[in-house]
Amino acid sequence: MTGRTFASDNNSGVHPAVLEAIARANEGHVHAYGDDPYTQDAIAVLRRHFGDDAAIWFVFNGTGANVTALSSVMRPFNAVICADTAHINTDECGAPERFTGSKLIDLPSGDAKLTPEQVRGAVRGVGVEHHVQPRVLSLTQSTEYGTVYTPEELRALADTAHAEGLLVHVDGARISNAAAALGCTLAEITRDVGVDVLSLGGTKNGLLLGEAVVFFDPALAPDFAFVRKQSAQLASKMRFVSAQFSALFEDGLWLHNASHANAMAALLAREAAGLPGVVITQKVEANEVFARVPAEKIAALQAIADFYVWDERTAEVRWVTSWDTTQEDVRGFVAGMREVLGG
Amino acid sequence: MTGRTFASDNNSGVHPAVLEAIARANEGHVHAYGDDPYTQDAIAVLRRHFGDDAAIWFVFNGTGANVTALSSVMRPFNAVICADTAHINTDECGAPERFTGSKLIDLPSGDAKLTPEQVRGAVRGVGVEHHVQPRVLSLTQSTEYGTVYTPEELRALADTAHAEGLLVHVDGARISNAAAALGCTLAEITRDVGVDVLSLGGTKNGLLLGEAVVFFDPALAPDFAFVRKQSAQLASKMRFVSAQFSALFEDGLWLHNASHANAMAALLAREAAGLPGVVITQKVEANEVFARVPAEKIAALQAIADFYVWDERTAEVRWVTSWDTTQEDVRGFVAGMREVLGG
Amino acid sequence: MTGRTFASDNNSGVHPAVLEAIARANEGHVHAYGDDPYTQDAIAVLRRHFGDDAAIWFVFNGTGANVTALSSVMRPFNAVICADTAHINTDECGAPERFTGSKLIDLPSGDAKLTPEQVRGAVRGVGVEHHVQPRVLSLTQSTEYGTVYTPEELRALADTAHAEGLLVHVDGARISNAAAALGCTLAEITRDVGVDVLSLGGTKNGLLLGEAVVFFDPALAPDFAFVRKQSAQLASKMRFVSAQFSALFEDGLWLHNASHANAMAALLAREAAGLPGVVITQKVEANEVFARVPAEKIAALQAIADFYVWDERTAEVRWVTSWDTTQEDVRGFVAGMREVLGG
Amino acid sequence: MTGRTFASDNNSGVHPAVLEAIARANEGHVHAYGDDPYTQDAIAVLRRHFGDDAAIWFVFNGTGANVTALSSVMRPFNAVICADTAHINTDECGAPERFTGSKLIDLPSGDAKLTPEQVRGAVRGVGVEHHVQPRVLSLTQSTEYGTVYTPEELRALADTAHAEGLLVHVDGARISNAAAALGCTLAEITRDVGVDVLSLGGTKNGLLLGEAVVFFDPALAPDFAFVRKQSAQLASKMRFVSAQFSALFEDGLWLHNASHANAMAALLAREAAGLPGVVITQKVEANEVFARVPAEKIAALQAIADFYVWDERTAEVRWVTSWDTTQEDVRGFVAGMREVLGG
């Protein structure tokens, strides 16, 4: 094996073009904290995707993007509605509650996607001082189960949210994978369907480090610069974060990387589906494959290439592909699994 | 001119050896979030400086290091004692208050250094529920005025702090410059003199991005991993942060860079002191020079090479040198100033 | 009708003996903030119930008791496990999240009671930095549905909690009603079964205002005085809060009031159960009755005596009795309902 | 002696008329949480003082009033400018920092009063993301040193604040004493001079417990109901808080009590000024007297009637008079002091 695993797209490296962009930005002195030409360029690049009036801010990581995005549009007595599987709900060690001071109202979901009916049902107690006041609907795209909201589904959710007085946040740590899966532009699954604020993922799709917060209406968060700084998410040598975004979003590298990761997941799902005892449990729409496997074989399978057990009780596992996963990685993994599982 | 300025060491670039270390770390897949050999190596490298039992954690930036260090050892009713000039007090947009929920007790200081008497005087109301309970003494080394605490001064402050029931935190965004100035090891001005927790700077001394939090007694913050994650300071592709620390602290690059920046500041101070109307206002011990200049000439001076006005009322300015500042940069700047100022 | 309703025990008045105690305490000057003989007496009175080493603190209201109790034993990365119906989860406008900075993990419950299995299932991700770390199991006694945990149930829950590394908090806004229902002392359903910290209700049981926080092991919250003050829950003229507690808990008034309220609820449930279209939906064990009634008659029923609709979708209503509810109040209400409902 | 001391107006009792109002409110059931005729009446009473469009909210205590007032008009990156002596800065155990997440910028003041020049000088870094953004000027009236701002001084401060983009908050724990001292109505030293939000004191002036937050422009804090509830400052049996306010502010009891306390302080200052070794250190304008006394006699003086040592280093003490302080209390205290001090 190559050393590449199926544990997480966070385990992957940096795309060479991104490293080159960092090296190119390493020239002389520029102003710190984002007042530099590299950052201006990266913002211009992203505005070509998201619109000329989008307010775009770079932060360090996905949790940083989510908590600054959320806390900049909420008061502590507000609440966020999200799926129970949402990264903000389960994988950020309570950072959203800590930064916002607010409750997350988490709704059950078999496929990590929410429906307008669920959202409507979760908006309760409006105007009553005893109850938290829902303010944001947070959706993950692609979801934590590798599923994808269609533009129509997003539009319906956003319309519902807005009718209920909610803003729509998208945790887009893997939004490039969703766009690739749908054959959509990034705007078509965010701005155009009514999303208000986006956590735009970079790290999982080939960056060294870096995410962006995108407000489609800059009036939503006029004070975001202060929120970012006070949240310890402002990079001093900003050029080295922003130059990565230019590299990723300038010429389609984002789409190339995401499409490739998706294709590798599709290949893996297709090949693994035929293995004895393997049941694919979620639609494979982006770069994640969920499957039930024989519980007693899990350790042997992980010895081939590392991956996470999602739910020990059901022996459900998660396989994630990355921009740098190769066909050989997939075929080698499947071949190894076949040896372990028979068939 | 070269494009290099005297505005901030945050304006400088990445040392080539650091960029190379990043590139070398870009090989295959490793576990995310720090469970990887690069991070283990970086911790081992830093333990050679700080002791085998030091608990060492990497974070994104200086504010992140300070707020996670402080909040991990405080309860909200505690307080931090610091100089009024401290970065945590003036330049972090209230991040310390927001993360800790606590008061900063800021003490006046002409040279940005505190004395044991001041610390003792600031510890009041202990045990009385109406008053915040001081818990941490935070010192900056080198200070925001480019001055340096000697080991003896640090020892006296730490002894006082401990006698008063306080822990000692050092904001070491420029601690390498202080060590270089003093001819001390890093341990000699931290662990050996009683410092409890250190924000170890990397960015200003040649990294792309990255700081470390060092606890000399790991029992002080057994839960730091959770504090870091919940504070949105945990990098997913951690190897690219930690590999930089190995490059900087493995073979003396930290000292080389800091010594060079210090030497450039000394040169600049020496040369500028002879210019008409220029008065150096602080001891130049590290890589910062503070000077009063003729107010009406400031704009013309900034046109030569950018720098910050520290206090408009007194026409005091700050010149910062970096690891990449050259003698030519300094001499060119001074020559330009001479033309503007006459003499 | 008498003007008394079935909306809430918060709508009831102050027991005359409590008002008299306040008046008696209104003599000359005493030290503020609890350093006074009335507060010492009240603590002594409560220690006769809860043990000589209990740490007892008075606060203003139930939310204040809950948030100071919880935040004093938690760090922000911790979590509270509670029923989805819990007052802290639904009726405190997010105060627990705001004061603790932590997540509430709310578990579904048909009768507002939790089981050891549920608690065990909710303790996940222990030691993993990405996940909140459960620290407190919070139970409500009597519950928000008027049901009551038996001592055996509490013991089993506390044993489970402790085995999982959790502390046990009881929101005892109506714990007197629970003790009365069970024929237990207050200690028998708190200290003796392993409860660690209790929010001891006073207001709903006849006080003007006031709740207490009781730590059975004072070492659990050595800093509570500071937490209380910083949480704005320290009364300056404390004697007028504490004197009420002496009045309530000195000679059995607490039990008298609670038993009476329970008896009125039992009477109401018995009488109402026979009315056409009325279905009692929860066990009536304390001073609350939940019932489904004909949806189209709700307004007419509320015109007889005010009460809350618990769930509009199912036409479930809540009737609460108080220490000052009379048999005539109940019989008058039932008679009025009979007129509206027929039968 | 009578048992009455000079330690604090918090040590005083409840005015009989206030207790009677509580007793009168203890009739039948009313809606909880303020939706009751007593609260409506109290709001109407206070609007006669503060204007028909004032938004008026009752809370438990002074810290509660201050933190809800401040946090409802601030974001965490904002800051409060106040005197270093301010109660919010020194006597609330960091509650303002904890509730707001913000920095307090405390300015030195010999008499506990601020000047417009100081305020202007403290507004720095506006619009710069590294610095907290001042948002509120908080003044205490009467001050912690018993001094009083004149209407002209308040107007000048408010004009300055507004010109700098700040709101004006008054901590009016003793505002009745200030109004009495100035011969002004309450509006003349708040609304009419540009104050935006007032913490209206009740407890120190004869209430059992209770303060109010008054917004002169209700649009300033449209969400205050949620802030109050989430801050655990909403009383369930609200009528017993609000009825006290009606009693105090309906017929001039507030002015009677405050004037009396002021007169007793004036008497005490006059009489004590003649004692050997006693130097009055602040203008005695309200109900507090600050004096230096012979350090070695402090204990003997406290044995006559309790009081606080304000500053041990200078042997400065504070004597506070209350609504219930009598001439005999004062004369007895002075006579006792004369015996101790000679003369």
Side-chain angles (χ1 to χ4, degrees):
Chain A
M1 295 293 296
T2 63
R4 283 186 291 272
T5 71
F6 298 89
S8 170
D9 29 16
N10 286 319
N11 291 19
S12 67
V14 186
H15 191 280
V18 172
L19 263 191
E20 282 162 30
I22 289 174
R24 272 198 312 275
N26 194 25
E27 188 64 42
H29 279 204
V30 300
H31 282 161
Y33 300 113
D35 179 21
D36 69 79
Y38 302 97
T39 304
Q40 284 156 21
D41 181 67
I43 289 174
V45 163
L46 288 178
R47 282 188 172 149
R48 293 207 293 271
H49 290 279
F50 294 113
D52 281 352
D53 52 356
I56 294 165
W57 308 88
F58 300 108
V59 296
F60 291 121
N61 65 350
T63 299
N66 289 334
V67 298
T68 53
L70 293 172
S71 64
S72 67
V73 297
M74 295 173 66
R75 302 290 301 264
F77 54 81
N78 286 139
V80 180
I81 296 174
C82 62
D84 56 4
T85 49
H87 199 267
I88 57 170
N89 191 49
T90 65
D91 284 289
E92 299 184 352
C93 197
E97 285 88 350
R98 178 133 168 66
F99 278 82
T100 63
S102 302
K103 177 179 286 298
L104 270 58
I105 299 173
D106 58 320
L107 305 178
S109 172
D111 60 357
K113 292 166 64 174
L114 294 178
T115 65
E117 289 66 38
Q118 284 184 292
V119 174
R120 264 192 296 272
V123 178
R124 287 192 290 199
V126 172
V128 180
E129 68 197 324
H130 303 285
H131 307 310
V132 295
Q133 302 293 299
R135 175 67 179 142
V136 178
L137 169 64
S138 181
L139 306 169
T140 312
Q141 171 82 316
S142 60
T143 74
E144 290 78 7
Y145 280 165
T147 53
V148 170
Y149 288 100
T150 66
E152 295 71 31
E153 288 170 333
L154 290 169
R155 165 56 73 189
L157 281 159
D159 286 350
T160 298
H162 293 154
E164 299 286 350
L166 307 178
L167 297 171
V168 179
H169 167 252
V170 165
D171 179 349
R174 294 189 182 98
I175 196 163
S176 295
N177 301 93
L182 293 162
C184 290
T185 68
L186 291 166
E188 285 170 349
I189 54 173
T190 56
R191 188 191 64 182
D192 297 355
V193 290
V195 171
D196 296 293
V197 52
L198 168 68
S199 295
L200 172 64
T203 312
K204 293 181 202 295
N205 200 27
L207 297 196
L208 186 156
L209 164 162
E211 312 278 304
V213 177
V214 180
F215 293 95
F216 296 101
D217 174 2
L220 266 182
D223 300 321
F224 191 82
F226 300 101
V227 173
R228 178 175 64 171
K229 173 69 184 180
Q230 196 179 27
S231 300
Q233 287 291 321
L234 176 62
S236 57
K237 295 185 177 175
M238 180 68 85
R239 56 174 148 167
F240 300 112
V241 175
S242 45
Q244 299 178 62
F245 276 88
S246 291
L248 192 63
F249 287 98
E250 207 154 37
D251 293 320
L253 181 60
W254 69 275
L255 183 59
H256 172 86
N257 283 357
S259 299
H260 176 78
N262 289 1
M264 292 303 98
L267 175 64
L268 174 54
R270 209 158 50 230
E271 300 277 324
L275 295 173
V278 173
V279 179
I280 307 297
T281 55
Q282 296 285 349
K283 283 190 197 171
V284 178
E285 299 182 315
N287 67 320
E288 298 177 275
V289 180
F290 285 78
R292 276 202 304 278
V293 299
E296 72 282 4
K297 302 287 177 62
I298 287 178
L301 297 179
Q302 286 174 318
I304 307 166
D306 201 23
F307 58 83
Y308 282 102
V309 178
W310 194 254
D311 188 335
E312 293 203 358
R313 295 165 299 186
T314 56
E316 189 174 12
V317 304
R318 185 190 76 163
W319 300 320
V320 187
T321 55
S322 302
W323 68 269
D324 60 358
T325 305
T326 64
Q327 288 209 17
E328 291 67 41
D329 294 334
V330 174
R331 295 195 192 282
F333 182 43
V334 173
M337 290 203 284
R338 184 168 290 118
E339 277 185 45
V340 168
L341 297 170
Chain B
M1 295 293 296
T2 64
R4 283 186 292 273
T5 71
F6 298 89
S8 170
D9 32 12
N10 285 320
N11 291 16
S12 67
V14 187
H15 191 280
V18 172
L19 264 192
E20 282 162 29
I22 289 174
R24 274 198 310 277
N26 194 24
E27 189 64 42
H29 280 205
V30 300
H31 281 162
Y33 300 113
D35 179 20
D36 68 80
Y38 302 96
T39 303
Q40 284 157 20
D41 181 67
I43 290 173
V45 163
L46 289 178
R47 282 188 172 149
R48 293 206 294 272
H49 290 277
F50 295 113
D52 281 353
D53 53 356
I56 293 165
W57 308 88
F58 301 109
V59 296
F60 292 120
N61 65 350
T63 299
N66 288 334
V67 298
T68 53
L70 293 173
S71 64
S72 67
V73 298
M74 296 173 65
R75 302 289 301 264
F77 54 81
N78 287 138
V80 180
I81 295 174
C82 62
D84 55 4
T85 49
H87 199 267
I88 56 170
N89 193 48
T90 65
D91 285 289
E92 299 184 351
C93 197
E97 286 89 348
R98 176 134 169 65
F99 278 82
T100 64
S102 301
K103 177 179 286 299
L104 270 59
I105 299 173
D106 57 321
L107 305 177
S109 172
D111 61 357
K113 291 167 65 176
L114 294 178
T115 66
E117 290 67 37
Q118 284 184 291
V119 174
R120 264 191 296 271
V123 178
R124 287 191 292 199
V126 172
V128 180
E129 68 197 325
H130 303 285
H131 308 310
V132 294
Q133 302 293 297
R135 174 68 179 141
V136 178
L137 170 63
S138 181
L139 307 169
T140 312
Q141 172 81 319
S142 62
T143 73
E144 290 78 6
Y145 281 165
T147 54
V148 170
Y149 289 99
T150 66
E152 295 71 31
E153 289 171 332
L154 290 169
R155 166 55 74 190
L157 281 159
D159 286 351
T160 299
H162 294 155
E164 300 284 351
L166 307 178
L167 298 172
V168 179
H169 166 252
V170 166
D171 179 348
R174 295 188 181 99
I175 196 163
S176 295
N177 302 91
L182 293 162
C184 289
T185 66
L186 292 166
E188 285 170 350
I189 53 172
T190 56
R191 189 192 62 183
D192 296 355
V193 290
V195 171
D196 297 292
V197 53
L198 168 68
S199 296
L200 172 64
T203 312
K204 293 181 202 296
N205 200 26
L207 297 196
L208 187 156
L209 164 164
E211 312 280 303
V213 178
V214 181
F215 293 95
F216 297 99
D217 175 1
L220 266 182
D223 300 320
F224 191 82
F226 300 103
V227 173
R228 178 175 63 170
K229 173 69 185 181
Q230 195 179 27
S231 300
Q233 288 289 323
L234 176 62
S236 56
K237 296 184 176 175
M238 179 69 86
R239 55 172 148 166
F240 300 111
V241 175
S242 45
Q244 299 179 61
F245 276 88
S246 292
L248 191 64
F249 288 98
E250 208 154 37
D251 292 321
L253 181 59
W254 68 275
L255 184 58
H256 173 86
N257 282 357
S259 299
H260 176 78
N262 289 0
M264 292 303 98
L267 175 64
L268 173 55
R270 210 158 48 231
E271 300 276 324
L275 294 174
V278 172
V279 180
I280 306 297
T281 54
Q282 296 285 348
K283 282 191 199 170
V284 178
E285 301 181 315
N287 66 322
E288 297 178 275
V289 181
F290 286 77
R292 275 202 303 278
V293 299
E296 71 283 4
K297 301 286 178 61
I298 288 179
L301 299 178
Q302 286 174 317
I304 307 164
D306 200 23
F307 59 83
Y308 282 101
V309 179
W310 194 254
D311 189 333
E312 293 203 358
R313 294 164 301 184
T314 57
E316 190 174 11
V317 304
R318 186 189 75 163
W319 300 319
V320 188
T321 55
S322 303
W323 68 269
D324 60 359
T325 304
T326 65
Q327 287 209 17
E328 292 67 43
D329 295 333
V330 174
R331 296 195 191 280
F333 182 42
V334 173
M337 289 203 286
R338 184 168 290 119
E339 277 186 45
V340 168
L341 297 171
Chain C
M1 294 293 296
T2 64
R4 284 185 291 273
T5 71
F6 298 90
S8 170
D9 30 14
N10 285 320
N11 291 18
S12 67
V14 187
H15 191 279
V18 172
L19 264 191
E20 282 161 29
I22 289 174
R24 272 199 311 277
N26 194 25
E27 188 65 42
H29 279 204
V30 301
H31 282 160
Y33 298 113
D35 179 19
D36 69 79
Y38 302 96
T39 303
Q40 285 156 19
D41 181 66
I43 289 172
V45 163
L46 289 177
R47 282 186 173 153
R48 293 207 294 272
H49 290 278
F50 294 113
D52 281 353
D53 53 357
I56 293 165
W57 309 88
F58 300 108
V59 296
F60 291 121
N61 65 351
T63 300
N66 289 334
V67 297
T68 53
L70 293 173
S71 63
S72 67
V73 298
M74 295 173 66
R75 303 290 302 265
F77 54 80
N78 286 138
V80 180
I81 296 174
C82 62
D84 56 3
T85 49
H87 199 266
I88 56 171
N89 193 48
T90 65
D91 285 289
E92 299 184 352
C93 197
E97 285 88 349
R98 177 132 168 66
F99 278 81
T100 64
S102 301
K103 178 179 284 298
L104 270 58
I105 299 173
D106 58 321
L107 306 178
S109 172
D111 61 357
K113 292 167 64 175
L114 294 178
T115 66
E117 289 68 36
Q118 283 184 292
V119 173
R120 264 192 296 272
V123 178
R124 288 193 289 199
V126 172
V128 179
E129 68 196 326
H130 303 285
H131 307 309
V132 294
Q133 301 293 298
R135 174 67 179 142
V136 178
L137 169 65
S138 181
L139 307 169
T140 312
Q141 172 80 318
S142 63
T143 73
E144 290 77 6
Y145 281 166
T147 55
V148 170
Y149 288 99
T150 66
E152 294 71 31
E153 289 171 333
L154 290 169
R155 166 56 73 190
L157 281 158
D159 286 352
T160 297
H162 294 155
E164 299 285 352
L166 307 178
L167 298 171
V168 179
H169 166 252
V170 165
D171 179 348
R174 294 189 182 98
I175 194 162
S176 295
N177 302 92
L182 294 162
C184 290
T185 67
L186 291 166
E188 286 169 349
I189 53 173
T190 56
R191 188 193 60 184
D192 297 356
V193 289
V195 171
D196 297 291
V197 53
L198 168 67
S199 295
L200 173 63
T203 312
K204 294 181 201 296
N205 200 26
L207 297 195
L208 187 156
L209 165 164
E211 312 277 305
V213 177
V214 181
F215 293 95
F216 296 99
D217 175 0
L220 266 182
D223 300 321
F224 191 81
F226 300 103
V227 172
R228 178 175 63 171
K229 174 68 185 181
Q230 195 179 26
S231 301
Q233 288 289 323
L234 176 62
S236 57
K237 296 183 175 176
M238 180 67 86
R239 55 173 148 167
F240 300 112
V241 175
S242 45
Q244 300 178 61
F245 276 88
S246 292
L248 191 64
F249 287 98
E250 207 154 39
D251 293 321
L253 181 59
W254 69 275
L255 184 58
H256 172 85
N257 282 356
S259 300
H260 176 78
N262 289 1
M264 292 303 97
L267 175 64
L268 173 54
R270 211 158 51 231
E271 299 277 323
L275 294 174
V278 172
V279 180
I280 307 297
T281 54
Q282 295 284 349
K283 281 191 200 172
V284 178
E285 299 181 316
N287 67 321
E288 297 178 276
V289 181
F290 286 78
R292 276 202 304 278
V293 299
E296 72 282 5
K297 300 289 177 61
I298 287 178
L301 298 178
Q302 286 174 318
I304 307 165
D306 201 23
F307 58 84
Y308 282 102
V309 178
W310 195 254
D311 189 335
E312 291 203 359
R313 295 166 299 186
T314 56
E316 189 174 11
V317 303
R318 185 189 77 163
W319 300 320
V320 187
T321 55
S322 302
W323 68 268
D324 60 358
T325 305
T326 64
Q327 288 209 16
E328 291 67 43
D329 295 335
V330 175
R331 296 197 192 280
F333 182 43
V334 173
M337 289 203 286
R338 186 166 289 120
E339 277 186 44
V340 169
L341 298 170
Chain D
M1 295 293 295
T2 63
R4 283 185 292 272
T5 72
F6 298 90
S8 170
D9 30 13
N10 285 321
N11 290 18
S12 67
V14 187
H15 191 281
V18 172
L19 264 192
E20 281 160 31
I22 290 174
R24 272 199 310 277
N26 194 25
E27 187 66 42
H29 279 203
V30 300
H31 283 160
Y33 299 113
D35 179 19
D36 69 79
Y38 302 97
T39 303
Q40 285 156 20
D41 181 66
I43 289 173
V45 163
L46 289 177
R47 283 187 172 151
R48 293 207 293 270
H49 290 279
F50 294 113
D52 282 353
D53 53 356
I56 294 164
W57 308 87
F58 300 107
V59 296
F60 291 122
N61 65 351
T63 299
N66 289 334
V67 298
T68 53
L70 293 173
S71 65
S72 67
V73 298
M74 295 172 67
R75 302 290 300 265
F77 55 79
N78 286 138
V80 180
I81 296 173
C82 61
D84 57 4
T85 49
H87 199 266
I88 56 171
N89 192 48
T90 64
D91 285 289
E92 299 185 351
C93 197
E97 285 89 350
R98 176 131 168 68
F99 278 82
T100 64
S102 302
K103 177 179 284 300
L104 269 57
I105 299 172
D106 58 321
L107 306 178
S109 171
D111 61 357
K113 292 166 64 175
L114 294 179
T115 66
E117 290 67 37
Q118 284 183 291
V119 174
R120 264 191 296 271
V123 177
R124 287 193 290 200
V126 171
V128 180
E129 69 198 324
H130 303 285
H131 307 310
V132 294
Q133 301 292 299
R135 175 66 179 144
V136 178
L137 169 65
S138 181
L139 307 169
T140 312
Q141 172 83 314
S142 61
T143 73
E144 290 78 7
Y145 280 166
T147 54
V148 170
Y149 289 99
T150 65
E152 294 71 31
E153 290 171 332
L154 290 169
R155 165 57 71 189
L157 281 159
D159 285 352
T160 298
H162 294 155
E164 299 285 351
L166 307 178
L167 298 171
V168 180
H169 167 252
V170 166
D171 179 348
R174 295 187 182 100
I175 196 163
S176 296
N177 301 92
L182 293 162
C184 290
T185 66
L186 292 166
E188 285 170 348
I189 53 173
T190 54
R191 189 192 60 183
D192 297 355
V193 290
V195 171
D196 296 293
V197 53
L198 168 68
S199 295
L200 172 64
T203 313
K204 293 180 201 297
N205 200 26
L207 297 195
L208 187 155
L209 165 163
E211 312 279 305
V213 177
V214 180
F215 293 95
F216 296 100
D217 175 1
L220 267 182
D223 299 321
F224 191 82
F226 300 103
V227 172
R228 178 174 63 170
K229 173 68 184 182
Q230 195 179 26
S231 300
Q233 287 290 322
L234 176 62
S236 56
K237 295 183 176 176
M238 180 67 86
R239 55 173 148 167
F240 300 113
V241 176
S242 45
Q244 299 179 62
F245 276 89
S246 291
L248 192 63
F249 287 98
E250 207 155 39
D251 292 320
L253 181 60
W254 69 275
L255 183 59
H256 173 85
N257 282 357
S259 299
H260 176 78
N262 288 2
M264 292 303 97
L267 175 64
L268 174 55
R270 211 157 48 230
E271 299 276 323
L275 294 173
V278 172
V279 180
I280 307 297
T281 54
Q282 295 285 349
K283 282 192 200 170
V284 178
E285 299 182 315
N287 66 321
E288 297 178 276
V289 181
F290 286 78
R292 277 201 303 277
V293 299
E296 72 281 6
K297 301 288 176 61
I298 287 178
L301 298 178
Q302 287 175 316
I304 307 165
D306 200 23
F307 59 83
Y308 282 102
V309 179
W310 194 254
D311 189 335
E312 293 202 358
R313 295 165 299 185
T314 57
E316 190 174 10
V317 303
R318 185 190 75 162
W319 300 320
V320 187
T321 55
S322 303
W323 70 269
D324 60 358
T325 305
T326 64
Q327 287 209 16
E328 292 67 42
D329 294 335
V330 173
R331 296 196 191 281
F333 182 43
V334 173
M337 290 203 285
R338 184 167 289 120
E339 277 185 46
V340 169
L341 298 170

